[in-house]
Amino acid sequence: MAAYFQNIDKIKYEGPDSQNPLAFKYYDKDRLVLGKRMEDHLRFAACYWHTFCWNGLDPFGGDTFQRPWHQIPNAMEAAMVKADVAFDFFSKVGVPFYCFHDRDVAPEGATPRESVSNLHRIVDILGQKQEETGMKLLWGTANLFSHRRFMSGASTNPDPEIFAMAALQVKEAMDATVKLGGANYVMWGGREGYETLLNTDLKSELAQMGRFLSMAVDYKHKIGLKGPILIEPKPREPSKHQYDFDTATVYGFLKQYGLENDVKVNIEANHATLSGHSFEHEISTAIALGIFGSIDMNRGDMQCGWDTDQFPNNIPETALAMYYILQGGGFTTGGLNFDAKVRRQSIDAEDLFYGHIGGMDVSARALLIAEKMIADGKFAQITQDRYAGWRDEFGQQVLAGKLGLDAVAQRVIDRNVDVAPKSGRQELIENLLNSYI
């Protein structure tokens, strides 16, 4: 199985003029951008699930990839082989981090104890692989959506015994994350929602979800997980309506349970657009609310109404995402994980590399564009000038609560001036943005 990528050498930076499809044209990991190495800015990660677990299945057809490790009958043997292949890929493509769900790396057992034992065995192997390769874990998570027991939710399930099964998985996945030195822990509520209100007790399910997350935060502190727990918002699919609809919804939920200091968000581009927002909107919202953590970089197909998880290829949109991330201070414990999969017709080993190389180059170009925008200063200055009045004495007094509604109203009467609006100059700003690209 280690021979699966034997004809592919470690991917290197060859510059924009390179004609080699198995080389980076823009991702030069040691290049300094705003005084920091490109690799340290971007903190790339490859995901285990789409890259090594997905077999090409869709609602209308089965396995198209037919990867050799998918054909191994013994589930634990397949998991060990998959680990070999995965770390060979990580090393050759040159990502410093990876991410996984518990069931990506270790199979479900016949009993809870067997499932836990399987995970422990594979985590030991992953630890050895990390030592051998220098790879690091960006985050771990638990798959609380694939097994049929979670068809009615995990933490929001009407049966508390299934809630308990979910708690076991999260506890073990958090333990695995700490053991492997993971920088964060992610919770994605794929089944935390409903199909119909006709059989749903909304108040009960939200209370259950709040309690579950509070338990996870308590356990995070107990085991010394230093990084934050990250919630990944999504509006729908697989559920008709998911409770973690978007960043603003998640923030309101966190405030209700007093968890906003321990939990942040992992924002996925395709989830953002499914919720009716742009990727940069969700990033900016998270930064404004103080809960920005990490991102899943991908894109959706605007002609499809579902989560297609394609590799990013839109440079202007990615540049805006990187600009707002840098403006917010950049990544701390988080990073840029490719929650993306090659198309089901892309069946060759090289296709896995083409997808990641393209995504990494797009992100690198976006970073360089964001650097220009920040160095030039014009983009930010336009916004600062637009809100300049709020930095003056009157604006500061209003924001500080020193003036009530009646006092502000009296000021208008005293000045007796009909204030004229000012142009937002959107077209000018759009032209300026294109000039950087």
Side-chain angles (χ1 to χ4, degrees), residues 186-324:
V186 166
M187 300 187 79
W188 178 60
R191 302 289 181 187
E192 311 295 33
Y194 61 80
E195 298 298 331
T196 175
L197 281 172
L198 297 175
N199 63 359
T200 300
D201 184 337
L202 205 70
K203 183 176 181 180
S204 177
E205 293 198 359
L206 289 172
Q208 293 166 214
M209 189 173 171
R211 180 61 191 134
F212 193 92
L213 185 57
S214 297
M215 290 164 60
V217 167
D218 289 344
Y219 192 67
K220 159 189 140 63
H221 292 298
K222 183 176 182 178
I223 62 176
L225 175 60
K226 296 179 181 178
I229 290 177
L230 304 174
I231 289 181
E232 186 169 317
K234 190 178 183 182
R236 60 182 184 277
E237 191 207 42
S239 298
K240 174 183 175 180
H241 176 89
Q242 288 171 221
Y243 297 133
D244 50 5
F245 186 92
D246 61 5
T247 296
T249 304
V250 169
Y251 182 72
F253 180 79
L254 296 178
K255 289 290 287 186
Q256 181 180 1
Y257 290 95
L259 301 173
E260 67 275 14
N261 295 323
D262 290 290
V263 181
K264 299 184 184 301
V265 286
N266 181 58
I267 300 168
E268 180 179 316
N270 203 171
H271 293 182
T273 51
L274 284 173
S275 66
H277 303 306
S278 65
F279 192 24
E280 62 267 24
H281 165 85
E282 287 289 89
I283 290 170
S284 296
T285 300
I287 290 170
L289 296 172
I291 58 169
F292 177 74
S294 195
I295 64 171
D296 276 3
M297 182 67 84
N298 57 23
R299 79 179 197 273
D301 188 325
M302 293 301 102
Q303 293 177 307
C304 297
W306 60 88
D307 194 4
T308 54
D309 288 327
Q310 296 171 249
F311 282 92
N313 67 356
N314 188 311
I315 293 170
E317 289 184 0
T318 308
L320 278 177
M322 290 309 308
Y323 173 75
Y324 289 115

Side-chain angles (χ1 to χ4, degrees), residues 43-107:
R43 292 171 60 86
F44 285 133
C47 75
Y48 226 91
W49 52 100
H50 289 323
T51 314
F52 307 107
C53 301
W54 189 48
N55 61 9
L57 175 75
D58 73 8
F60 304 101
D63 180 357
T64 60
F65 294 154
Q66 299 183 352
R67 313 281 191 208
W69 56 92
H70 292 165
Q71 316 305 318
I72 299 174
N74 183 284
M76 281 298 288
E77 181 184 346
M80 289 184 276
V81 169
K82 188 164 52 177
D84 288 338
V85 175
F87 277 83
D88 185 29
F89 176 83
F90 298 150
S91 299
K92 287 186 173 181
V93 81
V95 293
F97 296 97
Y98 72 108
C99 303
F100 68 82
H101 299 85
D102 54 353
R103 299 300 185 249
D104 297 336
V105 296

Side-chain angles (χ1 to χ4, degrees), residues 401-409:
K402 295 180 179 179
L403 298 174
L405 185 66
D406 53 347
V408 173

Side-chain angles (χ1 to χ4, degrees), residues 382 385-386 422-431:
I382 290 172
D385 291 346
R386 190 173 182 219
K422 298 177 182 178
S423 173
R425 296 182 175 178
Q426 180 173 332
E427 291 74 21
L428 172 65
I429 303 169
E430 291 171 343
N431 292 345

Side-chain angles (χ1 to χ4, degrees), residues 101-170:
H101 299 85
D102 54 353
R103 299 300 185 249
D104 297 336
V105 296
E108 179 106 15
T111 65
R113 289 182 182 177
E114 184 178 347
S115 295
V116 169
S117 175
N118 289 347
L119 182 62
H120 289 181
R121 290 171 60 192
I122 297 299
V123 165
D124 287 341
I125 292 173
L126 297 181
Q128 294 170 8
K129 297 288 184 185
Q130 288 183 200
E131 288 185 14
E132 293 167 3
T133 61
M135 285 291 301
K136 299 176 182 177
L137 178 64
L138 186 64
W139 49 259
T141 187
N143 181 333
L144 304 180
F145 48 89
S146 292
H147 196 282
R148 68 189 297 271
R149 74 171 66 94
F150 299 126
M151 65 183 181
S152 299
S155 70
T156 58
N157 200 283
D159 187 345
E161 296 298 341
I162 292 180
F163 177 104
M165 294 284 283
L168 171 64
Q169 274 191 243
V170 168

Side-chain angles (χ1 to χ4, degrees), residues 25-27 38 42 315 318-319 322 360-371 437:
K25 296 177 174 59
Y26 295 93
Y27 179 56
M38 186 175 278
L42 295 169
I315 293 170
T318 308
M322 290 309 308
M360 293 166 79
D361 266 346
V362 164
S363 301
R365 290 184 70 181
L367 179 66
L368 295 174
I369 292 167
E371 179 188 34
I437 298 166

